[in-house]
Amino acid sequence: MARVVVDVMLKPEILDPQGQAVQRALPRLGFTGIADVRQGKRFELELEGPVDDAALARIREAAETFLANTVIEDFTVRVEDGQ
Amino acid sequence: MARVVVDVMLKPEILDPQGQAVQRALPRLGFTGIADVRQGKRFELELEGPVDDAALARIREAAETFLANTVIEDFTVRVEDGQ
Amino acid sequence: MTTRVGVVTFPGSLDDRDAQRAVRLAGAEPVALWHRDKDLHQVDAVVLPGGFSYGDYLRAGAISRFSPVMATIIEQARLGMPVLGICNGFQVLTESHLLPGAMLRNNHLHFICRDQKLRVENATTAWTSDYQVGQEISVPLKNMDGRYTADPRTIEELEAEGRVVFRYVDVNPNGSINDIAGITNAAGNVVGLMPHPEHAVEPLVGTGRTDGLPFFTSVLKQLVSS
Amino acid sequence: MSLDTVKNAEQTPDAGQPWAELGLKADEYARIREILGRRPTGAELAMYSVMWSEHCSYKSSKVHLKQFGEKAPQSDAMLVGIGENAGVVDVGQGYAVTFKVESHNHPSYIEPYQGAATGIGGIVRDILAMGARPVAVMDPLRFGAADHPDTRRVLPGIVAGIGGYGNCLGLPNIGGEVVFDSCYQGNPLVNALCVGVMKHEDIHLAQASGAGNKVILYGARTGGDGIGGVSVLASETFDATGPAKRPAVQVGDPFQEKLLIECTLEVFREKLVLGIQDLGGAGLSCATSELASAGSGGMRIDLDLVPLRDATLSPEEILMSESQERMCAIVEPGKVERFLEICEKWDVIATVIGEVTEGERLEIFWHGEQVVDVPPRTVAHDGPVYQRPYARPSWQDALQADAPTAERLARPGTGEELKQTLLKVAGSPNQASKAWITDQYDRFVIGNTVLATPEDSGMVRIDEETNLGVSVATDGNGRYAKLDPYAGAQLALAEAYRNVAASGAKPLAVSDCLNFGSPEDPDVMWQFAEATRGLADACLVLGTPVTGGNVSLYNQTGEVAIHPTPVVAVLGVIDDVTRRTPIGFADEGHHLYLLGDTADELGGSAWSQVVHDHLGGLPPKVDLERERLLAEILIAASRDGMIDAAHDLSDGGLAQALVESCLRGGLGARVIVPAELDPFVFLFSESAGRAVVAVPRSEELRFTDMCGARGLPATRIGVVDGDALEVQGQFTVSLAELTEAHTGVIEALLG
Ligand SMILES: Nc1ncnc2c1ncn2[C@@H]1O[C@H](COP(=O)(O)OP(=O)(O)O)[C@@H](O)[C@H]1O
Ligand SMILES: [Mg+2]
């Protein structure tokens, strides 16, 4: 089976309190040198059939209409290699 | 600035209610042929300095102790290329 | 003829019975609508209640938005039927683009349950005509993803057209832009807000105030007079 | 590994088995062989080991818990007593209420969010299994020191888990406790309570009868969650150093549980269910053996039919899995179709996995081969019973002798010192406002919440027409129990009882969660024996039977046990919730009365902890007849409209009660120290059996006459007034200063 990954991140101009909370905590835990943190979602989709262009187009549509809310989020779709 | 991505996913044996909810919704929306969906987190970390081995080791430690809950989650750390 | 107000139950809706009670206390007949049923059973208006439909998994309101009943509601709302979205219902309304913008996680990242003071900014919508502009009311607020956001153009438009219906007063509980607690569409028939007016309809329970009742009497009047 | 069938077990009697690893003792393993007349199969061994674990069999506690039945007071209200998933109490008008408190301590330390979340999920299914609609939850919690770094990890996770699960289910959280004490450092206590309501005729029991009736498993798919969790987690001291035995964590899916609730209530409504059991600890092993054991016949299960999340699970693992959000129902064949239809309506997976049989055996099959053939009772009910040795600890006398007398611990002398002490106590983590925590819980959902945090009890309306309601409070003071476990358990009961009465409800019944250290330590076992004896004796006097509860042992790190912590929940009924009494002082001019007697009792007190970090002496004296009289007065005064506010006195004494009532109502008070009392004792003593009430002037005579006639001391101590708390001749502190001290404390530590 083939795996497609959809990454969904808040648009850069949208405040990301989860990422900020992580960023604020890191130095307290002794991890310095990290200028910015953004937190998003990662979806791993296992396809039944082959990952051809048609399949990818459908997944892109699912991401556009469903997995991401494009009012606030951007997404990328990619085939996971080496799995 | 360099970007490191930490992907955090629930361990395979751990129940993923969110992924399941997405998987069950997809066919209703007309997206068929998806055998499994897992939902996880994606952290994008912008480093102040270079992404050398030392930096990656530190990020791996941060992932291990903080970004992921290794009781139930696995993580991977990788340098984002082409950004 | 009594006015029929539908209250949708999605899987995971929680405040549906509360919304029905509020409708009843306002003098209308509550009608339970089921998410899988496209038919609205001759209701005159619809409430999308609070709760965690589909567990709020993926995003609050994201999965319920695609239910069969929503297809009909979206159609009817465009034709002018009054629709009120409370909390999760508001999230469903933004996800289905009946209202602009989107809801984000509260800026403090916690679920918050409190008695929240609001200012009424628009008393001309189907659901707010029994209020006065500038009136301050207190109703319970309880949510995890209540931070309203939209792009600057949309915000400007909402403000310019007076479509911000409620604003948080004293405390902004979640980081919403411009303290926005609730908005309406251009026609004024669709209203969404994060706080829960249906939990402020009896002096005995909740916060012991009835500040939320005018929502339900407003729509009743509008329907009777139209 | 080849399948270990019954046949195989008969043919290979000497095959080695991992009974010790599964937590069984040699004699227990021998007993299983004796019961079966052969060695158990792997699947049978799994079932026995998990069902005979401390957690499921109560083997160390059973002999003491018996007293709750033996000494049970005569009560017409009890409809279902100890032994079922939860007790059921008659509250009138045809309604019955079921409630129970349970622990999820160990899982919550390992994975705070999921551990606490599944704790809520589990107790809610218990209540549901009785036939009731769950209507509210509560969460008595104990953490290590408030400023300890690990508390920062554990507390936010636990609170988020309880909120995340309960909020998503739509159950109002109407109360609980938050206590910090370093004794809970490696052993936080997460107790969870649920209340459910039904009509008398809706009561359901966990029993399988009628050969040919179907066994339906419904809810979530079965995965590898918490396999061995019950036996490993609950039976052995958690070893903080090594994750060696760390089992798969159970992850909760509250959305699935919400569907399970609605679906189950609908099958109840259509009378499709003969017997029902939730799947909790020990999963299918527990549900099948308990259902079969309580029924008339046997049961046959085909494990291949169980819907799996992980296809590689072995039959042993399927039997032991603790996957959440599952239930098991016994349904007549003619009703199966409708049952499955309703499940489909709610998107709940439901599968017939077996049936009730004529025989007396529980038989389980896998791939057509028999892997289990046991008498179900031997699994579910005939577990080992231990008479653990116990003895009064050698240190107990010295602890009790170390009383916080004025000579030993400096007391505030001046007005200014008293004021500083009051602010310090009110602002200490245990006494400070818990709003940062409780605001993460939905207390309004369902629209029937009459009282919730920070009131004395949580109260919900159960009938909108008649305004019938119930009220629940939970309490437990580990410091008192450490000083004297017998009295400590009674004080926990007395406080919860008093809290229910203070809100105007009549206490009816008790549920308890007994959190203790290792039963293998005679000191701990003595604490346990004393606490159960104390609780049973006190329930008899107060007329409130124990309807059910839970025992959590092995709460210790190395040799050091937690304070003995009996948490007691009291349920009360109120005919008309509009008559409830809140704690807030909301009307100027009302007179304040202190009910009860105040003595110099500061052993185990909040003051001794906050100011001197001291624990010694004796806890406050228990006078149950006085508690009963006080409750009667509080209930009568509420019913007849004689008081407008009431707050029981407990940790922090009168000072703390005044602070809370003033802040809640937004008004100050002027208070006079009675001539016969030392101001410090007046303000900070924790004598039991007391409450402060606000009486409208028009009712004053009637109220004092009633107290006088019944022999309850009622001392007028002041008046509700202004925006400061003034203790005349001593100090004045503004509400603003009180707010400053009392709020924001928890978030400053953890936020
Ligand atoms: N974990 C919690 N969850 C919900 N409510 C809580 C919790 N902890 C404390 N509360 C509420 O806060 C209030 C004050 O608690 P506490 O001081 O322990 O009450 P009391 O002394 O009357 O038993 C009560 O209403 C109690 O129910
Ligand atoms: Mg109290």
Side-chain angles (χ1 to χ4, degrees):
Chain A
M1 262 192 307
R3 173 179 295 176
V4 177
V5 173
V6 180
D7 286 321
V8 176
M9 300 297 291
L10 285 172
K11 290 182 195 261
E13 68 271 22
I14 303 258
L15 176 73
D16 169 17
Q18 291 184 305
Q20 291 201 334
V22 170
Q23 192 187 335
R24 273 196 310 271
L26 284 170
R28 281 206 305 264
L29 304 175
F31 301 105
T32 51
I34 294 166
D36 191 27
V37 180
R38 307 279 294 170
Q39 178 175 337
K41 295 174 196 159
R42 172 187 165 95
F43 298 91
E44 294 182 355
L45 281 60
E46 307 288 341
L47 299 208
E48 273 156 12
V51 190
D52 49 21
D53 283 356
L56 278 178
R58 273 189 305 124
I59 289 178
R60 225 167 261 124
E61 199 196 327
E64 170 94 36
T65 54
F66 180 56
L67 296 178
N69 177 349
T70 51
V71 175
I72 45 173
E73 294 167 327
D74 293 328
F75 66 90
T76 58
V77 174
R78 63 200 158 78
V79 182
E80 182 96 316
D81 35 49
Q83 296 272 345
Chain B
M1 258 190 312
R3 172 179 295 176
V4 176
V5 173
V6 181
D7 286 321
V8 177
M9 300 297 291
L10 285 168
K11 292 184 198 246
E13 70 272 19
I14 297 276
L15 174 72
D16 173 13
Q18 308 225 44
Q20 289 204 338
V22 170
Q23 192 189 334
R24 287 167 83 158
L26 284 169
R28 286 203 305 268
L29 308 183
F31 301 106
T32 52
I34 294 166
D36 192 26
V37 179
R38 307 279 293 170
Q39 178 176 336
K41 294 178 199 154
R42 172 186 165 94
F43 296 91
E44 294 181 355
L45 282 62
E46 308 289 341
L47 300 208
E48 272 156 13
V51 189
D52 50 21
D53 283 356
L56 275 178
R58 271 188 308 123
I59 288 181
R60 221 165 265 127
E61 198 196 327
E64 169 96 36
T65 53
F66 179 58
L67 296 178
N69 175 355
T70 51
V71 178
I72 52 174
E73 293 169 328
D74 292 328
F75 66 90
T76 57
V77 174
R78 65 202 156 76
V79 182
E80 182 94 315
D81 33 49
Q83 297 270 347
Chain C
M1 202 191 82
T2 55
T3 306
R4 291 163 60 82
V5 179
V7 177
V8 178
T9 298
F10 299 106
S13 289
L14 305 178
D15 306 87
D16 44 348
R17 277 168 295 154
D18 310 84
Q20 290 176 15
R21 182 191 294 122
V23 166
R24 196 166 51 242
L25 288 172
E29 181 191 344
V31 178
L33 300 177
W34 182 239
H35 70 112
R36 282 193 196 166
D37 190 355
K38 281 179 93 88
D39 190 348
L40 297 190
H41 303 277
Q42 287 101 43
V43 298
D44 306 294
V46 167
V47 179
L48 303 178
F52 285 78
S53 62
Y54 291 96
D56 273 5
Y57 298 154
L58 185 59
R59 289 180 309 279
I63 300 181
S64 0
R65 166 246 164 134
F66 290 101
S67 59
V69 77
M70 277 312 295
T72 318
I73 290 173
I74 291 171
E75 218 174 84
Q76 291 300 311
R78 298 224 160 97
L79 297 174
M81 187 173 75
V83 176
L84 173 66
I86 302 170
C87 194
N88 199 240
F90 186 15
Q91 292 156 341
V92 173
L93 288 176
T94 57
E95 283 284 340
S96 34
H97 308 300
L98 279 174
L99 292 175
M103 230 63 72
L104 294 161
R105 175 100 348 143
N106 296 337
N107 58 353
H108 45 77
L109 303 179
H110 297 295
F111 185 95
I112 174 110
C113 174
R114 65 194 307 270
D115 193 7
Q116 177 68 46
K117 201 184 264 186
L118 306 173
R119 187 170 56 243
V120 180
E121 302 279 31
N122 176 338
T124 62
T125 77
W127 299 91
T128 56
S129 58
D130 272 356
Y131 290 108
Q132 254 99 60
V133 171
Q135 187 179 343
E136 293 192 345
I137 62 173
S138 279
V139 295
L141 171 93
K142 51 194 189 74
N143 62 64
M144 185 72 158
D145 300 282
R147 179 164 64 106
Y148 181 76
T149 192
D151 61 69
R153 242 200 36 232
T154 306
I155 296 291
E156 224 169 85
E157 199 176 291
L158 287 173
E159 294 287 3
E161 296 174 6
R163 287 166 54 197
V164 172
V165 185
F166 296 98
R167 244 183 265 277
Y168 298 116
V169 179
D170 292 348
V171 187
N172 179 333
N174 49 33
S176 272
I177 290 189
N178 292 9
D179 301 330
I180 292 174
I183 57 171
T184 182
N185 63 349
N189 63 313
V190 180
V191 171
L193 80 167
M194 285 316 293
H196 287 263
E198 84 285 18
H199 282 295
V201 293
E202 287 183 278
L204 180 66
V205 291
T207 54
R209 259 187 292 268
T210 56
D211 292 10
L213 201 55
F215 271 83
F216 304 93
T217 53
S218 296
V219 74
L220 213 67
K221 274 194 199 143
Q222 138 118 17
L223 289 167
V224 169
S225 66
S226 69
Chain D
M1 205 189 81
S2 70
L3 188 62
D4 192 16
T5 61
V6 170
K7 211 180 292 158
N8 185 39
E10 276 161 357
Q11 285 159 1
T12 56
D14 301 324
Q17 294 195 282
W19 49 269
E21 289 82 343
L22 287 166
L24 286 166
K25 300 280 187 283
D27 57 332
E28 292 169 351
Y29 178 62
R31 171 97 184 96
I32 296 169
R33 295 189 67 126
E34 190 190 323
I35 288 169
L36 297 176
R38 57 173 164 78
R39 76 160 174 87
T41 65
E44 288 167 341
L45 186 64
M47 290 183 81
Y48 278 104
S49 71
V50 74
M51 290 300 290
W52 285 14
S53 70
E54 185 67 57
H55 182 75
C56 292
S57 73
Y58 291 88
K59 55 189 167 191
S60 303
S61 53
K62 230 178 205 168
V63 292
H64 300 283
L65 297 178
K66 270 205 328 249
Q67 298 170 84
F68 294 146
E70 290 162 0
K71 296 182 191 166
Q74 203 41 47
S75 164
D76 301 335
M78 282 278 266
L79 297 175
V80 175
I82 295 186
E84 281 292 332
N85 282 310
V88 182
V89 183
D90 179 10
V91 294
Q93 299 178 16
Y95 285 102
V97 169
T98 175
F99 76 123
K100 187 177 171 190
V101 56
E102 233 181 37
S103 69
H104 227 217
N105 302 338
H106 299 278
S108 303
Y109 181 67
I110 296 175
E111 201 334 82
Y113 185 100
Q114 296 296 345
T118 53
I120 294 285
I123 191 65
V124 167
R125 283 194 301 283
D126 264 327
I127 293 307
L128 182 63
M130 295 308 299
R133 173 178 278 282
V135 296
V137 296
M138 297 175 97
D139 59 331
L141 308 175
R142 305 286 186 283
F143 301 101
D147 55 3
H148 191 286
D150 202 44
T151 303
R152 248 177 180 280
R153 169 186 76 94
V154 171
L155 185 145
I158 285 173
V159 168
I162 289 167
Y165 204 99
N167 296 340
C168 189
L169 280 190
L171 293 178
N173 185 311
I174 58 169
E177 297 164 77
V178 178
V179 176
F180 299 95
D181 192 302
S182 51
C183 77
Y184 304 111
Q185 202 62 65
N187 294 275
L189 304 184
V190 176
N191 294 177
L193 177 147
C194 182
V195 195
V197 177
M198 66 196 130
K199 289 288 194 170
H200 286 192
E201 61 272 20
D202 295 334
I203 296 175
H204 279 74
L205 299 177
Q207 48 185 248
S209 27
N213 289 332
K214 301 298 178 190
V215 180
I216 299 182
L217 177 66
Y218 66 110
R221 291 174 185 276
T222 299
D225 311 71
I227 287 173
V230 164
S231 56
V232 176
L233 282 178
S235 295
E236 287 169 40
T237 304
F238 178 66
D239 177 1
T241 57
K245 273 189 179 169
R246 182 173 285 176
V249 169
Q250 309 149 32
V251 170
D253 180 353
F255 171 59
Q256 173 72 59
E257 179 117 327
K258 167 68 178 167
L259 299 183
L260 202 59
I261 293 174
E262 296 304 331
C263 165
T264 302
L265 291 172
E266 198 162 327
V267 297
F268 285 156
R269 254 195 317 273
E270 296 199 12
K271 311 223 175 305
L272 304 178
V273 177
L274 286 174
I276 188 157
Q277 173 71 303
D278 59 297
L279 273 72
L284 262 181
S285 295
C286 179
T288 53
S289 65
E290 288 192 348
L291 278 166
S293 164
S296 53
M299 186 181 283
R300 182 195 156 102
I301 299 289
D302 193 347
L303 277 188
D304 299 275
L305 299 174
V306 172
L308 298 182
R309 202 171 77 229
D310 173 355
T312 66
L313 291 182
S314 69
E316 290 85 350
E317 288 170 321
I318 297 171
L319 282 169
M320 288 174 91
S321 162
E322 294 187 358
S323 284
Q324 300 291 298
E325 294 95 23
R326 297 179 300 163
M327 305 276 284
C328 199
I330 308 297
V331 180
E332 281 172 26
K335 294 182 170 171
V336 167
E337 193 184 330
R338 181 63 190 141
F339 188 102
L340 298 180
E341 244 170 53
I342 291 174
C343 289
E344 198 280 330
K345 170 184 168 188
W346 288 101
D347 292 323
V348 168
I349 298 170
T351 317
V352 175
I353 59 164
E355 63 180 34
V356 180
T357 57
E358 294 282 359
E360 287 170 352
R361 313 285 288 189
L362 171 59
E363 300 175 81
I364 299 181
F365 291 81
W366 175 251
H367 294 353
E369 306 253 25
Q370 187 169 32
V371 293
V372 171
D373 179 14
V374 297
R377 208 185 150 74
T378 63
V379 179
H381 293 289
D382 297 343
V385 176
Y386 293 159
Q387 299 275 353
R388 301 263 194 205
Y390 59 90
R392 191 171 204 269
S394 54
W395 42 260
Q396 196 76 36
D397 286 341
L399 183 69
Q400 293 185 346
D402 182 21
T405 56
E407 294 74 49
R408 302 169 72 100
L409 300 186
R411 296 180 171 189
T414 66
E416 181 56 26
E417 284 171 7
L418 282 168
K419 172 177 163 176
Q420 290 314 323
T421 305
L422 176 137
L423 288 172
K424 194 161 180 196
V425 171
S428 65
N430 283 339
Q431 271 62 237
S433 163
K434 305 301 182 312
W436 184 80
I437 290 169
T438 54
D439 282 356
Q440 297 185 45
Y441 305 149
D442 185 346
R443 57 185 177 275
F444 298 118
V445 66
I446 306 189
N448 284 324
T449 306
V450 177
L451 296 175
T453 175
E455 296 288 340
D456 272 342
S457 78
M459 185 181 288
V460 292
R461 173 176 67 183
I462 64 179
D463 188 300
E464 287 184 42
E465 314 275 85
T466 67
N467 283 326
L468 179 69
V470 294
S471 147
V472 188
T474 78
D475 280 295
N477 186 320
R479 285 166 54 84
Y480 289 171
K482 174 93 180 209
L483 298 178
D484 180 346
Y486 181 88
Q490 298 199 328
L491 286 163
L493 170 66
E495 189 183 342
Y497 179 92
R498 202 185 311 134
N499 275 309
V500 164
S503 66
K506 178 178 162 30
L508 282 185
V510 166
S511 176
D512 65 302
C513 191
L514 303 172
N515 307 276
F516 286 76
S518 166
E520 293 160 42
D521 175 345
D523 290 359
V524 170
M525 213 47 223
W526 175 81
Q527 294 172 329
F528 186 83
E530 284 294 286
T532 45
R533 189 170 68 86
L535 185 56
D537 288 349
C539 283
L540 187 55
V541 178
L542 292 180
T544 50
V546 176
T547 62
N550 180 241
V551 176
S552 171
L553 300 175
Y554 296 99
N555 292 289
Q556 65 180 57
T557 310
E559 295 295 295
V560 186
I562 60 165
H563 289 341
T565 312
V567 168
V568 179
V570 170
L571 174 108
V573 64
I574 177 165
D575 295 334
D576 179 359
V577 287
T578 62
R579 289 287 178 198
R580 83 248 179 246
T581 313
I583 65 166
F585 297 158
D587 296 284
E588 296 247 11
H590 286 188
H591 279 154
L592 295 177
Y593 279 83
L594 175 60
L595 310 181
D597 287 307
T598 305
D600 185 333
E601 296 186 281
L602 288 137
S605 64
W607 166 77
S608 68
Q609 182 179 36
V610 173
V611 176
H612 294 286
D613 191 16
H614 175 269
L615 177 58
L618 288 173
K621 191 163 62 66
V622 180
D623 180 346
L624 296 168
E625 288 302 342
R626 171 54 64 79
E627 297 288 354
R628 199 218 271 275
L629 175 60
L630 174 68
E632 282 171 10
I633 296 279
L634 287 167
I635 296 162
S638 133
R639 193 186 49 227
D640 296 343
M642 288 185 251
I643 55 177
D644 275 9
H647 197 2
D648 81 300
L649 268 51
S650 56
D651 324 21
L654 177 67
Q656 180 67 18
L658 290 172
V659 169
E660 290 171 0
S661 290
C662 285
L663 290 180
R664 179 74 173 159
L667 284 177
R670 266 183 297 128
V671 172
I672 301 168
V673 182
E676 70 279 12
L677 281 179
D678 166 71
F680 167 73
V681 170
F682 172 65
L683 287 171
F684 293 99
S685 161
E686 297 185 3
S687 293
R690 297 184 304 159
V692 59
V693 295
V695 184
R697 296 202 179 192
S698 57
E699 301 299 326
E700 203 158 355
L701 204 57
R702 210 153 64 101
F703 180 73
T704 49
D705 278 355
M706 174 174 71
C707 293
R710 307 287 301 271
L712 180 70
T715 315
R716 187 155 114 194
I717 57 163
V719 62
V720 177
D721 181 43
D723 55 7
L725 173 60
E726 178 188 353
V727 179
Q728 274 181 10
Q730 301 294 336
F731 64 87
T732 300
V733 54
S734 70
L735 291 193
E737 271 176 287
L738 289 178
T739 306
E740 167 82 22
H742 187 61
T743 56
V745 177
I746 309 274
E747 58 255 62
L749 286 160
L750 308 157

